[in-house]
Amino acid sequence: MATPRPCRGVFLLPVKTHRLRASDRDHGDMTIQAQLDDLHARAAASLAEVVDLDGLASWERSFLGPKGELTQVLRGLGGVPAGERPAAGRAANSLKTELSAAYDARARQLSATDLERRLAADAVDVTLPGRAPTIGTVHPVSRMIDELSDIFALMGFQTVFGPEVATAHYNFDLLNIPGDHPARDVWDTIVVDSNDEEIVLRTHTSPMQARTMEATKPPVRVVVPGRAYRYEAQDASHDWMFHQLEGLAVDEHITLADLKGVLGELARQLFGAERRVRFRCDYFPFVEPGVDFAVDCAVCGGKGCRVCKHSGWLEMGGAGMVHPKVLAGVGYDPAKYTGFAFGLGIERMVMMKYGVDDVRAFAGNDLRFLRQFASI
Ligand code: DAH
């Protein structure tokens, strides 16, 4: 592109414009043809210097506009001797046609360049790699909940959810937990309100046992994933908020063998077909008998390692046969119905499955930890 030269004001300076008027005295000695030739030469030279549409507009004003030089010449034709007038008029008109055509051509050219310039300024490089959207990942605990729901669905269990704020009636009383049970100690339970009726953050998912049974008649088969809260100091294996998966099956003729079958199947679905399970006597007020449930360590195959603390077993939670008092508490006939229940720690299962060694990582919101689960 030609470097715009500083405008010498040939057509902008009124002085010059004035000097060139056909009627001007100074030109009295110049023939019309000479004036037109001069005008032609300057108009052409100045048009060559026009670099944009604004410049072109002012060029047009100076030479062709109502106050432009050529118009002045045309107006001055009246003063030309009659004999010369037709020739002068033709010459002036033909210059006008020529300059108008030059103007149009230049205008087309400049509009095209202007468009090109604007397009270039707006240009988008479509070959640049796009910005990848940041997509969140499912939290490892949520993912485990989904996996557990799927496994239990295949065994006929429906997944239900319940409130995290519970009355002591559901959290304790209906579960046969007497007022002097350690779980009712204020140091374990986060109490929300104790005015009329004690309201607590549920200390386990077990309150959904009674709620489910109150809402349905047997047969019952549900699992209840969700948060539980305890007033507890945090360390690598304890947090004050954690997740459990409650299970409950009530029907006629349910036995401990059903419980063992269901939890054995769970362990194999979750940790591999060769897993073995162990049930040992334990005590929970809402089951009789009560057991603790463990799976042989998938890391060492039961030989003993750091993950299983050299015991060969990993404890998954508690379970047992639903206590007759719990059944009676919700109006089920304990002589007719039996059932089993279990409560599993979900973080613990994720820790076992992925080798996580600190439970605090789950609610710590450290993206470096969470992102590791994106590709699993
Ligand atoms: N709710 C118990 C706890 O949080 C776990 C548990 C044990 C749940 C035995 C059960 C069960 O349903 O049968 O420690």
Side-chain angles (χ1 to χ4, degrees), residues 203-204 206 209 230 244 246-247 284 286-287 318-320 341-343:
T203 58
H204 47 187
S206 306
Q209 288 192 21
R230 292 204 192 147
Q244 288 190 330
E246 193 77 15
F284 302 96
F286 35 93
V287 280
F342 53 86

Side-chain angles (χ1 to χ4, degrees), residues 238-249:
H238 295 90
D239 208 342
W240 57 269
M241 185 280 287
F242 51 97
H243 293 75
Q244 288 190 330
L245 182 102
E246 193 77 15
L248 177 71

Side-chain angles (χ1 to χ4, degrees), residues 171-189:
N171 197 77
F172 299 125
D173 299 335
L174 287 176
L175 288 163
N176 191 32
I177 301 176
D180 56 358
H181 190 279
R184 293 191 82 143
D185 192 307
V186 286
W187 300 111
D188 268 330
T189 307

